[in-house]
């Protein structure tokens, strides 16, 4: 049976992945996968849950991804960008609160030229050499990624979104391509970044087959981090009336990913917590081992509006961290203030 094979070999072919995905909603299969996922995360990470301070520093974007609330053509989005000083203030605040990883995430905003980004990276790493710095600012050239890496950036999150060409084209304008996205991920890996790929669960047009392609691509890339969270419609997009992704399928996939990639850094995402008030706790119970509390200034949080009803937009950073600390403890784990690097084998 395909579940036994997955547990034994930590691999799935395309057809096996399609077969496995038919078990979504099957209580017995989900329980078995969850138990195995927990066993593996304990083997490599004990009961630790790593925390990342998320700084959403710009919602300007030159891209036009059809599902995203901050895409260029959403003229009703209220745009903002943080100055280098404001970003450093967020880091100062985060460091005080015990964060040892900062994640700079934003739209693809041309204001932040390579020179400006390098300056920001050097300032953060200069002030906090004991912290890891993750970037999540989209597709760049090899040369740009090289400069970011040399300036001190440690990790890079770039979800591939879907590994199926036709599906990718249905979610993005013609100016974007899956091939370019994949090339970025391979470039980042070759430069020595800890790399995160991933996808939305339940994005419009997703099928068992496209998900199986995601699982096959991830095995080929072998990233250190994988970000998955349910798709949630945004009212100003063409997908406003599409149903949100399923919490159940997201949890099932978290367990599958933990088994495929026993050491992977796997967040229980804000999107999961948005669809289900205990979504992040449930994610931890299925193998996730990272949470990403928001360190962005409260005045800008609502403006980083990727999807409707996003949670955690009104709280101070300290409240956000405190809340997650309690949630993590209630799920039987321990939130730790360490860099939380990938456990190399
Ligand atoms: N611009 C960077 C990039 O392209 O990787 C980082 C910012 S982008 C807004 C971060 C992630 O948000 C995307 O990779 C996408 O998966 C997720 N996202 C965007 N719109 C979403 C939606 N409607 N529901 C759930 N996740 C969404």
């Amino acid at each position: 049976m395909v579940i036994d094979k997955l547990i034994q070999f930590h691999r799935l072919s395309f057809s096996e992945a399609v077969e496995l995905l038919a078990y979504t909603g099957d209580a017995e299969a989900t329980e078995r996968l969850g138990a195995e996922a927990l066993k593996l995360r304990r083997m490599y990470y004990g009961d630790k849950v790593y925390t990342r301070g998320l700084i959403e520093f710009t919602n300007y974007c030159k891209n036009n991804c059809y599902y995203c609330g901050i895409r260029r053509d959403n003229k009703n989005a209220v745009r903002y960008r943080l100055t280098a000083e404001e970003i450093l203030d967020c880091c100062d605040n985060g460091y005080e609160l015990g964060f040892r990883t900062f994640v700079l995430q934003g739209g693809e905003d041309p204001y932040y030229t390579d020179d400006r980004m390098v300056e920001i990276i050097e300032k953060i790493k200069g002030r906090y050499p004991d912290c890891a710095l993750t970037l999540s600012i989209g597709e760049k050239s090899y040369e740009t990624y090289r400069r970011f890496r040399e300036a001190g950036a440690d990790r890079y999150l770039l979800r591939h979104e879907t590994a199926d060409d036709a599906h990718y084209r249905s979610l993005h304008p013609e100016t974007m391509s899956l091939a370019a996205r994949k090339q970025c991920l391979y470039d980042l890996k070759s430069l020595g970044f800890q790399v995160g790929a991933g996808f939305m669960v339940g994005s419009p047009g997703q099928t068992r087959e496209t998900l199986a392609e995601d699982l096959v691509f991830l095995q080929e890339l072998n990233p250190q981090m994988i970000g998955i969270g349910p798709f949630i419609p945004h009212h100003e997009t063409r997908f406003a009336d599409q149903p949100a992704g399923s919490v159940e399928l997201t949890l099932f996939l978290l367990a599958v990913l933990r088994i495929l990639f026993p050491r992977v850094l796997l967040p229980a995402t804000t999107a999961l917590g948005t669809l289900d008030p205990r979504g992040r706790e449930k994610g931890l119970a299925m193998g996730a081992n990272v949470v990403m509390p928001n360190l962005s200034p409260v005045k800008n949080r609502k403006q980083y509006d990727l999807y409707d009803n996003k949670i955690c937009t009104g709280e101070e950073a300290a409240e956000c961290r405190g809340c997650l600390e309690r949630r993590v403890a209630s799920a039987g784990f321990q939130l730790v203030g360490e860099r939380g690097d990938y456990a190399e084998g």
Side-chain angles (χ1 to χ4, degrees):
M1 170 193 192
V2 69
I3 296 181
D4 296 307
K5 258 189 106 176
L6 169 65
I7 290 174
Q8 191 177 352
F9 297 111
H10 305 280
R11 290 216 61 84
L12 281 175
S13 67
F14 174 79
S15 56
E16 287 165 347
V18 173
E19 191 188 334
L20 177 72
L21 287 162
Y23 285 95
T24 318
D26 178 313
E28 202 183 314
T30 306
E31 207 181 305
R32 203 154 160 236
L33 292 168
E36 184 64 20
L38 269 188
K39 191 180 101 190
L40 289 168
R41 71 92 70 211
R42 286 223 157 85
M43 194 181 292
Y44 294 106
Y45 294 103
D47 65 356
K48 287 180 184 178
V49 172
Y50 297 124
T51 180
R52 319 297 194 200
L54 180 63
I55 304 169
E56 298 156 335
F57 71 103
T58 174
N59 71 350
Y60 283 86
C61 193
K62 68 178 171 63
N63 281 337
N64 219 5
C65 308
Y66 299 146
Y67 44 84
C68 184
I70 64 167
R71 73 190 204 293
R72 183 189 64 223
D73 283 355
N74 182 4
K75 302 297 177 215
N76 291 325
V78 181
R79 306 286 171 174
Y80 75 95
R81 53 172 72 98
L82 303 187
T83 62
E85 286 65 37
E86 286 175 307
I87 294 172
L88 277 160
D89 284 348
C90 294
C91 296
D92 292 345
N93 191 7
Y95 195 87
E96 279 283 297
L97 291 167
F99 289 95
R100 294 297 177 267
T101 292
F102 302 118
V103 181
L104 292 189
Q105 191 182 86
E108 289 197 23
D109 180 354
Y111 170 84
Y112 295 95
T113 57
D114 295 354
D115 286 346
R116 284 196 171 117
M117 276 317 298
V118 163
E119 201 183 317
I120 292 168
I121 295 165
E122 284 175 347
K123 277 192 175 147
I124 295 175
K125 290 294 288 193
R127 193 176 293 187
Y128 295 114
D130 54 333
C131 291
L133 181 59
T134 307
L135 301 178
S136 178
I137 52 175
E139 296 177 29
K140 307 277 177 191
S141 67
Y142 181 89
E143 180 53 23
T144 296
Y145 286 146
R146 193 187 60 72
R147 288 193 64 194
F148 293 169
R149 181 82 184 115
E150 280 183 3
D154 305 278
R155 308 183 187 138
Y156 206 103
L157 301 175
L158 185 77
R159 289 182 175 181
H160 65 281
E161 312 296 357
T162 170
D164 180 273
D165 248 313
H167 188 214
Y168 193 93
R169 282 197 301 274
S170 74
L171 296 174
H172 302 95
E174 271 173 25
T175 47
M176 298 177 74
S177 77
L178 176 59
R181 197 92 178 159
K182 283 184 173 176
Q183 187 57 51
C184 287
L185 287 162
Y186 286 114
D187 287 349
L188 288 161
K189 266 209 113 178
S190 75
L191 285 162
F193 282 96
Q194 290 178 42
V195 171
F199 54 88
M200 292 175 290
V201 177
S203 60
Q206 187 175 71
T207 61
R208 243 183 237 165
E209 285 72 23
T210 66
L211 274 175
E213 287 180 79
D214 289 321
L215 297 180
V216 169
F217 168 64
L218 286 170
Q219 290 173 88
E220 186 186 301
L221 179 70
N222 197 23
Q224 288 87 1
M225 308 175 279
I226 299 176
I228 65 162
F231 158 76
I232 303 176
H234 184 285
H235 61 284
E236 302 270 8
T237 65
R238 68 172 64 180
F239 297 133
D241 297 328
Q242 293 289 317
S246 127
V247 170
E248 189 179 50
L249 178 56
T250 307
L251 295 172
F252 183 91
L253 285 165
L254 282 172
V256 170
L257 289 170
R258 169 61 62 206
I259 300 169
L260 279 175
F261 306 95
R263 299 163 196 264
V264 80
L265 296 161
L266 191 62
T269 56
T270 306
L272 188 55
T274 296
L275 284 192
D276 180 329
R278 286 190 60 80
R280 285 166 297 177
E281 292 87 321
K282 290 178 185 173
L284 296 174
M286 292 295 271
N289 63 340
V290 171
V291 289
M292 298 173 73
N294 203 323
L295 273 185
S296 313
V298 175
K299 68 176 169 39
N300 300 116
R301 287 206 192 158
K302 276 203 168 59
Q303 294 163 287
Y304 200 78
D305 185 26
L306 308 183
Y307 48 79
D308 290 343
N309 306 315
K310 192 172 161 218
I311 53 168
C312 307
T313 54
E315 294 153 357
E316 294 293 342
E319 292 170 66
C320 231
R321 191 190 158 96
C323 162
L324 269 171
E325 200 159 338
R326 286 190 295 280
R327 286 175 181 275
V328 166
S330 82
F333 300 99
Q334 194 201 346
L335 193 71
V336 294
E338 301 171 18
R339 273 175 58 116
D341 287 299
Y342 181 73
E344 292 291 349

